[in-house]
Amino acid sequence: MFHVKHPLDALLLQALPQGSLYAVGGRVRDELRDPHVSPKDLDYVVVGVTEAALLAALRTVGVVDIVGASFAVMKLRTPVGDADVALPRRERSTGVGHRDFAVESAPDIPLTDDLARRDFRMNMVARAIDSDELLDPFGGEADIVGKRIDILRDAAFTEDPLRMLRAAQFAARFGFALSERAEAAMCADAQLVSTVSPERVGEELAKLVALAPAPSVGFAILRRTGVLAHIWPELLEGVACEQNEWHAYDVYEHTMHTVDAVPPGDLTLRLAALLHDVGKPRVKDGPHFYRHEHMGRELTVAMLERVRYGRELTETVAHLVRQHMYQADPEAQPRTLRRFLQRVGPAHLDRLFALRAADIAGSGLPKRDDANERFQAAVAAVLDERPVFGLRDLAIDGAAVIAIMIAEGVAPEGFRGDGRVGAVLRYLFEQVTDEPDRNEAGLLHELAVAFVRSRR
C-alpha cells in the first residue's frame, strides 16, 4: 500500500539497526484511513535495542529529552520534525484513574504486547519503517475499514477511563461507530471519568469540540453512555426543555444543531455555540427564558474552569455567551451602534456574528429575513468611522484631568489622582460616544473644566 513517508523516517533508519524501527499509533491508523495523508503525530517504537544504545543513536539525529525513567519515552527534536520514540512497553492499571499504572519497558518485550496495551483495536497497529510491513495482531485494519471503534478487553475503560472521552472524540472526528462491546463497557464505567484529571478531560473535549465535523456525534455518545452526566451535566438540563415557536427543537437538540453549524477549527466559537443557551433551563418561565444569557455566562465560567481551560479562553467564551442576545436592528441610530460596539468590543464582532448565524441555523426553522446581515453592514459602517471604544481612546488622559483639578483648586499640588479622575474621564467618554467629533483635546479640556467646576 502507498503511504506518505516522513523525512524523519530516513534519518532514524540510518541511525538504528535494521528491522528495529516501527511507526505506531495515530500515524498508522490515519494512513490506513487515507494513504495519501501526510504524517503528523510521529510516534515510534524501537525493538531489540537497549535504552542506552537508543539514546546514543537518537542523539546523532537531534536533541533528546527523556520523559520518566520507567516509561523510557524519548522526546526527539530535529530540524525536520519532532517525535516520541520509545522501547516496547507493558503496562497494567494499579488503581483508579488515568495516572495509576505499573509500566515495564525493555528491548525484548514483544511489539505485540506494546500494541495490546493501547486503547482501541484501530490503534493497535504498527508499520515497519524499513520494509513497510504492517503488524496487525488484533484486527485493527478491519476496524478502520469498517469504521468501528472496538476494545480488546472489557476492562479497557476501567484501566484508563480517559479512553471513554477518546472514543467519543474519535467517533465524531472520523465518522466511526462504537462497537456494542465498547459502548456497553463505557456505560458500565461511566462514573470513572470523574477520576481523570480535569486537564486531560479538557484536552479531549477540546479535540471533540474544535476538530469534529459534527461534535454532536461525540456528545450523543457521551450522553447515551452516561459519561456526560459526570463532566458537564448542565448540558443535560436542556433535554426535553421545550422552547417557543421560533425553535423546532428542545434546548439540548438546538444546542447540538448550533454547534454543528459552526465550521471546525475555532475552539472559542465552537464552545460559545455549545454553551450559548446553557442558562435557559434554569430561568425557564413558560415559553420565556428571561436573562438566560446572564445565567449562561455564570454557568459557562464554572464549566470551563472545571476542566481547567485558561482564563483568556474562558472569559472570551463567557463574553460571547453573555452578548449573544443582542438586538439586530438595522435601523438603529449611529449612537446606538457605537454603544453596541463598545459593549461587545470590535475584536469579538466576527465571532459574535458567526454565533448568531449558527444560532439561526440551529433553530431548525427557515431563516426569516436579512435583518442580521443589514445590521452587520450598519455596524461595519460605524466601525469605519473609528469611534471611541474606551477611555484610552480619549484625546486627553488622566494626567490632563489631574492638571485641571489642581488648576481649579479642587486638588492640592502633588495630587496623583483618585476616583474623581475616573468620573471625569467617564463623563468625557459619554460625550464622545454620542458625538464622536467631540474627541478633540481642546474641546475635551473645556468640557472637563466645566464638569470639575460643576462638582466643586
Side-chain angles (χ1 to χ4, degrees), residues 114-134:
D114 184 278
L115 296 177
R117 70 181 179 80
R118 297 174 187 272
D119 49 9
F120 307 112
R121 293 180 190 269
M122 67 177 186
N123 291 328
M124 297 176 183
V125 287
R127 184 178 295 282
I129 297 298
D130 55 358
S131 67
D132 277 350
E133 178 186 1
L134 183 69

Side-chain angles (χ1 to χ4, degrees), residues 415-437:
F415 175 65
R416 302 185 65 176
D418 57 22
R420 292 173 295 173
V421 176
V424 175
L425 291 172
R426 288 190 294 273
Y427 166 75
L428 298 177
F429 182 69
E430 287 295 318
Q431 305 308 304
V432 301
T433 294
D434 290 339
E435 299 183 52
D437 291 343

Side-chain angles (χ1 to χ4, degrees), residues 168-191:
Q169 61 102 343
F170 283 145
R173 287 171 56 197
F174 303 153
F176 284 18
L178 266 66
S179 69
E180 291 184 6
R181 182 183 190 184
E183 185 152 335
M186 278 184 69
C187 291
D189 287 335
Q191 75 281 359

Side-chain angles (χ1 to χ4, degrees), residues 128-382:
I129 297 298
D130 55 358
S131 67
D132 277 350
E133 178 186 1
L134 183 69
L135 183 64
D136 181 19
F138 305 110
E141 183 177 18
D143 276 7
I144 294 167
V145 172
K147 296 187 174 182
R148 180 173 54 250
I149 299 175
D150 196 14
I151 53 178
L152 187 62
R153 299 173 301 282
D154 289 335
F157 301 123
T158 307
E159 296 168 352
D160 185 356
L162 182 69
R163 291 171 174 167
M164 293 185 281
L165 294 171
R166 289 172 60 80
Q169 61 102 343
F170 283 145
R173 287 171 56 197
F174 303 153
F176 284 18
L178 266 66
S179 69
E180 291 184 6
R181 182 183 190 184
E183 185 152 335
M186 278 184 69
C187 291
D189 287 335
Q191 75 281 359
L192 293 180
V193 75
S194 60
T195 67
V196 180
S197 71
E199 294 83 359
R200 298 304 302 272
V201 171
E203 289 173 7
E204 297 301 323
L205 288 175
K207 293 174 185 176
L208 167 59
V209 173
L211 302 180
S216 62
V217 173
F219 281 103
I221 292 171
L222 296 177
R223 175 188 170 190
R224 198 166 62 238
T225 57
V227 174
L228 187 57
H230 298 281
I231 303 172
W232 279 341
E234 295 88 344
L235 289 175
L236 296 175
E237 295 175 19
V239 175
C241 184
E242 299 300 329
Q243 304 198 80
N244 56 30
E245 68 273 16
W246 304 114
H247 294 82
Y249 310 114
D250 66 18
V251 172
Y252 180 86
E253 290 300 327
H254 165 65
T255 293
M256 292 299 120
H257 281 84
T258 300
V259 72
D260 284 354
V262 176
D266 187 339
L267 176 62
T268 300
L269 180 55
R270 274 267 177 97
L271 284 171
L274 180 70
L275 302 176
H276 78 287
D277 278 349
V278 71
K280 276 188 170 181
R282 302 211 179 175
V283 300
K284 182 174 173 59
D285 181 10
H288 305 295
F289 301 94
Y290 298 119
R291 294 174 64 83
H292 74 270
E293 66 274 24
H294 295 268
M295 176 63 71
R297 185 194 184 285
E298 293 180 17
L299 294 175
T300 293
V301 171
M303 293 169 69
L304 299 188
E305 288 182 344
R306 190 180 310 153
V307 293
R308 304 295 192 268
Y309 285 161
R311 175 179 294 182
E312 182 178 357
L313 175 63
T314 298
E315 290 181 350
T316 301
V317 174
H319 180 65
L320 292 171
V321 170
R322 167 64 182 84
Q323 299 298 335
H324 84 276
M325 287 298 292
Y326 66 88
Q327 182 179 2
D329 179 7
E331 308 302 326
Q333 295 296 313
R335 70 172 61 182
T336 302
L337 297 176
R338 286 191 290 270
R339 291 184 183 277
F340 168 78
L341 284 165
Q342 290 164 0
R343 184 175 71 252
V344 171
H348 302 298
L349 278 179
D350 288 346
R351 281 181 172 138
L352 189 62
F353 290 154
L355 177 57
R356 172 61 60 88
D359 197 0
I360 293 171
S363 72
L365 298 175
K367 191 171 179 292
R368 295 193 296 272
D369 54 41
D370 65 348
N372 282 286
E373 289 78 6
R374 290 190 292 123
F375 176 74
Q376 291 173 33
V379 170
V382 169

